[in-house]
Structure formats: C-alpha cells, structure tokens
Amino acid sequence: MKRLLLVLIAIFPLHCSFGQALSPYYQTKSAERVKQVLKDFESAFGQLTNPYIVDREERDEASDRMYASLRRDARFENDLIPGHKGTQTIDFEEYKRIAFIGYQKGGLSLHFEWGEAEFKSVPEGYLVLFYGKKSLFGHYQERKRLQLENVPCRAGVFLKMNGNQVTEAKIGFIDTDLKAKSKTPISLIDQRNPLELVTLPEVVDKLAGQIIRSLPEKGLWQLFIEEITFEGLGVSNDFSKQLTGTLKASLGRMSTHIQTNLTDQTAPGSLIKLKGRYDKSGNFLKIGVQLFDALDHASGFVLSSEILLTNIPNAKIEPAGHLLQDATQVQAIAAAGNDDQSAAKDDELFLEVSTDKGYGPQSYREGDIMTLKVRANKPCTVRMIYQDAAKNIVQLRNSDFMITGDAVGKWVYMPEQFECAAPFGFEILFAYATEGKFKPIEKTRSQNGFTFILDDLNNVAALTAGSTEREKIVQRTIPITTQPRRKKL
C-alpha cells in the first residue's frame, strides 16, 4: 500500500496549503457525506453479490450507485481469496470480478463499521481517511470458507469542494494499512445528535432486524418482498428500487434462513409476503413494512424506521408528479370498485396474480417482455383488464375465462406477452374472480388480435365489481411503471 500512497502523494500532496482548512463543524458535516458514500457503496456491492436479488432493475440501480461512488482508479485490498499471499491491492474491476465469479452461487457478505475520520488537504479539496472495521463472509468457489470478522481497515475518499460545500465524493481505496493514522482523528460515534451520521443502509439494517424477529419460527422462510413505494401508491423509481434491494441484501446478510427468489413451485401456504411504503414526514423519511401470509392475513404490527432526509444525498425520493397523479386516480378507482384485497377466510375464494417479476408494484424497461399468470383456490371465472400509459384498456384473453377444477391451485398463464415500449408511464393490471358470472362489457373493439375496451376505466371497474349481489367478487391490482432504457454511466 505504501507504493500506492507515494503515487497519491505525488499527484495530491497530502499536507499543503490549498485554501483555508475546514473548521471542526464543516469537517463533521463533510464526514457525514463521506460516510453516506461508503455505506452506499457497501449497500450496492452487497446487493450485487447477493444471489437472491435477481430483479434486473434492482441490480442495474445498484450497479449505477456503486460506480457513482468510486474513482475510476480505485484500488482495494485483495482480501477475497482465502489465504491469498499475492498482490496487496488490486484495481476495483479485478476485485469485482473475483467477488462476482468466485462467490456467484453462495454470495458474499461485506460489512463496514466506521468509527473515526481525518482530513488531509489535496488540490480541489481533501482526502478523507475513514477508520473502522470490516467483515467478509462467503465460500470462495463453493470450496474455501472466507471469514474475516471485525478486521481493522481504512478507506480513502476524495472530496472536491466549493468553499465549505462538498461537490463530489468518491472512494479512492479501501485497505488495512493504518500506519499513517493520526493521534487526533474525528470521532464518528460521539455526535451531538445520534441521527446525524445514520445512513440509509443502517436504517434498513435496523428494519431488517425487526423483520427477522417477527418471522415465524421455522427452518426456512420463503419471503416475497414487494417493492416499497412512495406513499404506497405503487409507482416504481430508482429510490424505491434502492430501498427494496437494500432490504433484500440486508435480510440475506443477517439470516441464512430467508429465501426470496421464489419459483412456480412455491406452495401458496408456505409463502410470506412483505409489503411496505415510505413517506416524507417533516425532516424525516419514514419507512413502514408489514408481513402477510399467503392469504393476505396481516402478521403482527407495522414495523417502521426513519432517517433524516438530509442523510439521503442525491436521491430523487419522490417519483414524477404525473405518475403520482395517475396512481392516485387509479387507487381511487380500485377503492370505489370494491378492491377486496383484504384477507380471505380459508373457505373463501382467493385469487393470486403475478407477473414474471412476482406480486405487487414493479417496473419494466423498454424492450422488456412481461408475462402474466393467475392462481385460484376454487373453480371460478376470471376477468383481467390492463390499462397502459396511453390509457388504452385491453381485456386479456379477449374475454372472461374459467379456472376449472383440475386447474385449482395451479398457475394459469396468459397467452399474451407484452413488450415494454413508448409511451412510458404508470400502468395498471386489474384482475377479478367470482364463482358466478360477470356482466358483459358492451363497448369493445377487436384490433390486432386484442380486445380494446372503449370505455372509461372507472366505468369498467364499477361494472365488473357490481356484476353480482350473491357471489363475492375478488379483485387484485398490480401497479406497473414503464420506463425508457437506462442510460449507462
């Protein structure tokens, strides 16, 4: 590591008079930003090395966030190969390659605890050295056990400044060389307000701990985590993906008894769902989640955690206004149409609806293909209606269809497949089931093999939900956000 530091010193003299030194107050404020970057990297890297996180959007969001926190020439200590005696530090691309290939099947757990920091002047800003401990767990190539627990380490983060304000913070290196540590570093623990240095991954870790303690006592939990969205409106954005993916990674790191990559063979009775939302409340972001069984019976209380909004830098927390407006209108239609998503009794009709990405709110990018399936616990008639971003309404399978006795408890796939294309925005799937019959939809037009409904969504929902007074009608909705292709960094 000394050789690397000599290069850094040559490029960025560590002790020089490039402007006035930061006051203790601004050092503390800048340290908050540095810790955010380091914890954000840890969170994103943890998502990408977690084999249970398979949603492409969550992985793409994490990858963008990971690279946004790194300098292009960042170097890391080569600690991923058990017993390795070679090069002390390697470039990050090599470090990532070892992590992603060497731990592809079982995953890799990475965790940092930061306690102290010190500032060294460099051109355009500062090199901030963070000191703490790291833990690494995994099975390299499924053969060699890697277990590094609470090993002392440091991270070097370069800050670009405009006066006292940080304009850019990127990680330059992470290693275990503590020889240059000063005798008077800044404490990151003894703060006036304990919330000042709390980061989003730490808040999510706290929430994950609550979730694990609330899970039933059994050998393996098959847990499906629905996307956690702003105000529970179902609109997906990068922040909801970050929050949901971070929670999955945190749960996977804390417990080996949680399985989140569910398959068609997952029995309905063994499934646990986690649903949640996040809201702005004054200066805080509040996150709330709750567990449900396969029949949507709530299990326990709402679990919550919160963080200062100022501790979530550069995040667009709220989705676009027009998406929220569309989602609010659709939510009102669902409620007015007797959106019976309450828990069903064991002997009542129960309908499950899923895309290839699962239950609950989700998103698709341009070119993605969406498939749909339904499952019911009784013979029934099913009606499925889809409204796209252009407000076109389509009846799937072109008509109502039956789930017969031999198909009860099995997934029934829709023959239609949808390719995500412009215009993009908020879309919604309505699915209804009844043991009786639905009133017919009169205003329709056949075009290109699809049945388009020439009526207002509100009228269609009211007509369908009011089809029968005798038989119960079950309704399910899946909010879907469609977006153009992600721009590469």
Side-chain angles (χ1 to χ4, degrees), residues 24-153:
Y25 171 78
Y26 283 109
Q27 283 191 1
T28 299
K29 299 301 291 183
S30 298
E32 293 175 18
R33 175 67 183 278
V34 172
K35 188 180 180 186
Q36 294 288 351
V37 171
L38 287 167
K39 295 301 288 187
D40 215 29
F41 166 81
E42 176 192 329
S43 165
F45 189 78
Q47 286 174 238
L48 293 168
T49 55
N50 186 328
Y52 287 148
I53 299 180
V54 296
D55 184 282
R56 195 185 78 180
E57 273 298 290
E58 289 175 7
R59 296 186 66 82
D60 286 349
E61 182 280 326
S63 180
D64 285 356
R65 192 155 38 93
M66 180 180 72
Y67 278 107
S69 65
L70 291 167
R71 284 170 54 104
R72 289 176 179 261
D73 58 354
R75 297 187 67 84
F76 282 58
E77 183 140 345
N78 189 5
D79 50 12
L80 297 183
I81 303 177
H84 182 70
K85 303 296 183 182
T87 307
Q88 188 175 3
T89 63
I90 55 178
D91 65 67
F92 178 71
E93 289 302 316
E94 175 67 9
Y95 189 86
K96 183 188 75 171
R97 187 191 67 80
I98 296 172
F100 289 10
I101 296 177
Y103 298 86
Q104 185 175 23
K105 185 175 180 181
L108 176 70
S109 177
L110 169 68
H111 186 60
F112 293 101
E113 292 288 345
W114 303 110
E116 298 175 313
E118 60 179 317
F119 286 71
K120 297 180 182 294
S121 296
V122 297
E124 299 184 340
Y126 294 87
L127 166 63
V128 186
L129 297 172
F130 261 48
Y131 298 97
K133 296 178 180 179
K134 69 178 176 183
S135 297
L136 273 168
F137 299 97
H139 283 88
Y140 179 66
Q141 296 180 345
E142 299 304 307
R143 296 194 307 270
K144 297 180 181 179
R145 172 66 174 165
L146 175 67
Q147 183 168 346
L148 302 176
E149 193 164 3
N150 295 324
V151 176
C153 68

Side-chain angles (χ1 to χ4, degrees), residues 10-22:
I11 301 174
F12 301 111
L14 295 183
H15 298 284
C16 48
S17 55
F18 291 96
Q20 188 175 356
L22 285 178

Side-chain angles (χ1 to χ4, degrees), residues 7 33 78 82 90 162 174 212 256 284 292 342 375 390 400 416 483:
V7 174
R33 175 67 183 278
N78 189 5
I90 55 178
N162 182 6
I174 296 180
I212 291 171
T256 59
F284 288 87
F292 292 80
S342 59
R375 180 166 63 178
D400 304 336
E416 298 96 341
Q483 304 172 79

Side-chain angles (χ1 to χ4, degrees), residues 226-258:
E226 294 189 3
E227 187 166 341
I228 302 168
T229 62
F230 182 69
E231 296 183 349
L233 290 171
V235 181
S236 176
N237 67 346
D238 274 356
F239 184 74
S240 65
K241 289 292 184 187
Q242 175 184 349
L243 186 57
T244 309
T246 302
L247 179 58
K248 289 180 182 179
S250 181
L251 287 167
R253 188 180 72 249
M254 291 184 177
S255 174
T256 59
H257 300 289
I258 294 176

Side-chain angles (χ1 to χ4, degrees), residues 185-203:
I186 300 170
S187 173
L188 304 176
I189 301 171
D190 303 328
Q191 299 296 322
R192 296 185 302 275
N193 180 354
L195 291 176
E196 283 185 358
L197 284 172
V198 174
T199 63
L200 184 64
E202 290 169 315
V203 168

